[in-house]
């Protein structure tokens, strides 16, 4: 069983209408990076994608993927929150 669940989910903007999406695992973050990414695919985007794949493979902790994803999301202004939902 993969252990790629984030300790605290990450909330990001999803789509042009600005709805939010809660990402709970490295797999969900990877899917967002591949399928919903609004900005250019910068080095931070590539680092986040690699970190997610490393977490999915069990090579690195999910916390590393989460941090890399947040850095990339902030760069393209889709990051909303890294706090647990109320």
């Amino acid at each position: 069983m993969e252990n790629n669940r984030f300790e605290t989910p990450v909330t990001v903007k999803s789509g042009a209408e600005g709805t939010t999406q809660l990402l709970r695992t490295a797999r969900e973050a990877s899917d967002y990076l591949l399928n919903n990414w609004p900005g250019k695919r910068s080095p931070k985007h590539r680092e986040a994608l690699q970190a997610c794949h490393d977490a999915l493979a069990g090579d690195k902790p999910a916390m590393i993927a989460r941090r890399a994803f947040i850095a990339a999301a902030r760069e393209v202004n889709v990051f909303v929150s890294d706090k647990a939902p109320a």
Side-chain angles (χ1 to χ4, degrees):
M1 180 182 158
E2 349 178 300
N3 186 11
N4 62 55
R5 183 166 288 281
F6 295 157
E7 196 171 298
T8 305
V10 177
T11 305
V12 291
K13 289 182 209 165
S14 180
E17 63 280 353
T19 58
T20 59
Q21 185 175 350
L22 197 61
L23 306 176
R24 295 176 180 88
T25 66
R27 180 166 310 285
E28 290 174 359
S30 176
D31 288 345
Y32 185 91
L33 288 161
L34 290 169
N35 302 314
N36 299 96
W37 198 248
K40 70 180 184 116
R41 300 196 175 207
S42 68
K44 284 187 181 182
H45 177 272
R46 284 191 294 281
E47 289 169 20
L49 198 51
Q50 184 62 54
C52 287
H53 286 284
D54 290 346
L56 290 169
D59 296 334
K60 296 209 171 140
M63 174 184 65
I64 302 291
R66 184 178 179 278
R67 262 192 241 140
F69 180 86
I70 289 170
R74 282 188 168 135
E75 184 177 58
V76 295
N77 297 316
V78 295
F79 175 75
V80 174
S81 175
D82 61 352
K83 306 286 184 249

